Every structure is written in structure tokens, then in C-alpha cells.
Amino acid sequence: MSDLQTTSHLFAFFNGKVVPIEKAQVNIQTNALQYGTGIFAGIRGYYNTNQGFISIFRLTDHFARFLNSLKIIGVSIEYSHKDLVELTLKLMKKNAPKTDTYIRPFAYAGSLQLSPNLERDNVFEFAEYMFPLGDYLPTYKGIKVCISSWRRISDNAIPSRAKICGSYINSALAKKEAVQNGFEEAIFLNEAGNVAEGSAMNLFIVRDNVLITSSKSDDILEGITRRTVIELASDLGFAIEERVVDRSELYIADEAFFCGTGAQIAWIKEIDHRKVGNGKRGKISGKLQDLFFRVVRGDVQEYETWCTKIKV
Ligand code: PMP
């Protein structure tokens, strides 16, 4: 089924109104299309079949990062944080999906003028759409990954903690190389040679029962799932280190997993042809994964405040 077929019955928010998604189209001269001058978010809504609601995970946190991304590149939009949340709920109601759903808000330089110029295009357009989405990476079978020959974009080139459209060519290059070489995902090192993250997800390893992840200053996107994992792990009483991670630590890790809104929690069984631990889902990864999937669906009372539940 083509992308258009899967989404064509849906509605999008475009040019200030809710329209059928096929009407949400931009001119080919659009600056953002030419230069990647946009920023975006990726949010998941989990459908509860029994009770008929969607649990949108950490909606307000996603829009806080969205606005921070705009701030980092020095542009604005006409919508407040509150507007963005309300708009998303309205669009969700209108689409009323009966399935797990991915929400894609984005803001972009809509001018038709030649040359990238964030001074001229300093007020971005805002648009949003959504579509059904299951697993983006296999979550329960263990994936095979490699270290990419591409380096993660550095903060002083394209700010890596902002979710900037143009920077995703970096992700696409790493993913392509990994898949061409028979792996399912890639791990980026940064320009300093330290472990950064996956092509579009953060990375955790476990060594001697300590959960370890790259620090926020290692050119990663500050993932909301990463933060979630840290919070859950700390509540479960696991020791956590956010620090510089060396490549060779990956080869001797007891456990490893990716996390992200798309990736959710996906455990890794091999890195550069070296088995991670015993090649099975690790104890700590397993505990976190099982809890995570209950939390995002709004099934754990303690973490319900992370879930915006909306009847559809
Ligand atoms: N790193 C990159 C480069 C990403 O694109 C994503 C996906 N948004 C992540 C990490 C994970 O971030 P989050 O958990 O907020 O989805």
C-alpha cells in the first residue's frame, strides 16, 4: 500500500485549518523543501481497544522541545505551547483513529524565495498530520547494528539537540549504509569519536548492572524516551550513568538497546558482529521494556500524568 493510500482518509492541520490530507500541499519552490529549513516533532498515541481512548505519550514535553528547537534556530511560529496541544487534540478527535498513531507536527520556512535565510523567514508556518504506525524497529527479536562510518552532526554545525529537518540527511546516510551492509540500524560516533546515538534514536548499554548512556553534550538529540528510560530506571532502583561512552565499551556491554518515540525500546543483539551479552534480551532491558510498554499505554497509574488520554 502506498503512503498516500494509508493516509488519504485522514485530516491534517495546514494553513491555519483542518483539511483533508491530500489538500495539504506546498509549492515546489518552498524554502523548507529546498533547504530543510524546518523543525519537527514525532509523538505517539497508543490506542486502548477496550476503553476506546488514545493515550498520547508526553505530549506537552514534545511541544516544549519543539518550541526549543525553534528558539535554537532563532525563529518563531504564531502558536503558543497551549495552542499546539489543543490543536493536536482537536486533530486527533477529528481523525479518531482506532489504532496506534504517529503524530507529526512541523514548522517550516514557507517562503518561495531563493536562498536559505532565517532572518527573512523568521516566522515559520505550522502544519501537522498523523497516520497509523506500529513498530518502527523490531522491539522483541533483538536487532543487529553497526557503527556508522558517518559521524553525527556536531552542535556547532547543525545543533543536534534541535530536531531540524535538514539534519536528517545525516540519519538517512547512516541508515542507508547500515541496511546496505546487512544491519538493521546504525550507531553514530560524534566528531570526537565518542558514541552518540542511533540514526533516529538514543542508545543505552548496561555494564555490570549499571545503565549507561551518552551525555547530553555528545551531540545527541535530547530524547524524551531517553529521559523516560532514565526516570523509570531510577524509580526501579538501577544505577545510571550519563557520560562519555567509548566505542569499545559497546563491544563488551552486557546489554544494549535503542529508545525513541519511533523505536520505542528495541533491544540489540549484535554490534559490529559481536554478540551483546549472551545475544538474548537482557534482564535490565527486559524490565524496562515491559514497564515502558505498559506506561505509554496509560496502564500504570504512577506514570499516568505522562499520558494525555483522549476518547476517540
Ligand atoms: N535521536 C534522534 C536523532 C531522533 O530523531 C530521535 C527521535 N525523535 C531520538 C533521538 C529519540 O527522541 P525521542 O525519544 O524524543 O523520540
Side-chain angles (χ1 to χ4, degrees):
M1 206 187 277
S2 76
D3 287 352
L4 190 61
Q5 279 171 318
T6 52
T7 57
S8 60
H9 60 292
L10 295 173
F11 291 89
F13 183 83
F14 181 68
N15 279 349
K17 21 182 220 294
V18 175
V19 296
I21 195 155
E22 58 275 14
K23 300 264 188 256
Q25 305 215 8
V26 296
N27 188 309
I28 56 167
Q29 297 170 97
T30 303
N31 199 271
L33 185 59
Q34 301 290 334
Y35 303 110
T37 41
I39 69 106
F40 67 101
I43 308 169
R44 267 190 191 264
Y46 291 88
Y47 182 60
N48 183 305
T49 324
N50 296 334
Q51 295 173 50
F53 67 79
I54 293 258
S55 159
I56 308 178
F57 191 59
R58 302 195 76 157
L59 178 63
T60 55
D61 294 317
H62 278 282
F63 278 123
R65 186 177 65 195
F66 187 82
L67 292 174
N68 276 341
S69 291
L70 290 169
K71 190 171 182 188
I72 287 172
I73 64 168
V75 302
S76 63
I77 50 173
E78 285 172 3
Y79 302 92
S80 67
H81 185 272
K82 186 165 170 271
D83 296 337
L84 294 169
V85 168
E86 280 173 5
L87 238 151
T88 303
L89 297 180
K90 187 172 150 197
L91 193 61
M92 184 62 84
K93 272 259 176 225
K94 176 82 181 166
N95 281 314
K98 301 281 185 279
T99 178
D100 292 351
T101 296
Y102 186 82
I103 306 162
R104 167 53 54 81
F106 66 109
Y108 61 99
S111 93
L112 307 184
Q113 310 212 20
L114 195 67
S115 80
N117 180 340
L118 293 176
E119 190 46 38
R120 180 192 62 218
D121 288 307
N122 64 359
V123 181
F124 274 14
E125 307 293 333
F126 174 77
E128 184 169 42
Y129 63 97
M130 53 185 66
F131 55 90
L133 186 71
D135 284 353
Y136 166 92
L137 278 180
T139 51
Y140 280 101
K141 82 169 179 59
I143 54 174
K144 294 183 180 182
V145 310
C146 61
I147 309 290
S148 182
S149 72
W150 297 97
R151 292 291 166 109
R152 172 75 178 147
I153 40 159
S154 68
D155 196 49
N156 288 306
I158 304 178
S160 29
R161 63 168 52 71
K163 212 163 156 55
I164 299 171
C165 298
S167 69
Y168 279 79
I169 187 70
N170 187 224
S171 303
L173 287 168
K175 181 82 181 190
K176 179 184 170 77
E177 180 190 57
V179 171
Q180 276 181 335
N181 290 334
F183 300 96
E184 285 155 299
E185 250 306 324
I187 296 172
F188 276 122
L189 305 181
N190 61 18
E191 285 295 356
N194 305 323
V195 173
E197 59 180 333
S199 72
M201 59 285 290
N202 295 114
L203 175 71
F204 281 82
I205 58 170
V206 176
R207 293 188 61 196
D208 299 326
N209 294 316
V210 178
L211 200 61
I212 302 164
T213 194
S214 306
S215 85
K216 286 183 189 166
S217 300
D218 276 316
D219 298 319
I220 63 167
L221 183 81
E222 295 176 5
I224 288 159
T225 321
R226 173 185 180 277
R227 204 194 315 163
T228 302
V229 167
I230 291 172
E231 285 163 339
L232 295 179
S234 127
D235 291 350
L236 289 172
F238 296 129
I240 305 153
E241 290 178 4
E242 290 181 68
R243 61 162 172 83
V244 169
V245 179
D246 293 330
R247 172 186 193 145
S248 58
E249 292 191 84
L250 302 183
Y251 298 155
I252 56 168
D254 306 317
E255 303 182 27
F257 61 86
F258 282 129
C259 72
T261 300
Q264 305 174 101
I265 292 184
W267 67 274
I268 298 170
K269 73 170 172 206
E270 241 180 70
I271 303 178
D272 279 350
H273 304 291
R274 289 138 174 107
K275 211 190 268 186
V276 178
N278 61 5
K280 304 228 157 60
R281 188 173 80 143
K283 252 199 234 140
I284 294 180
S285 315
K287 266 206 177 130
L288 285 167
Q289 199 181 34
D290 293 345
L291 177 60
F292 175 81
F293 281 111
R294 290 176 50 230
V295 166
V296 292
R297 291 191 175 277
D299 288 342
V300 185
Q301 208 181 2
E302 205 182 330
Y303 301 105
E304 263 189 319
T305 52
W306 283 341
C307 302
T308 307
K309 291 184 180 173
I310 169 167
K311 208 86 185 147
V312 287

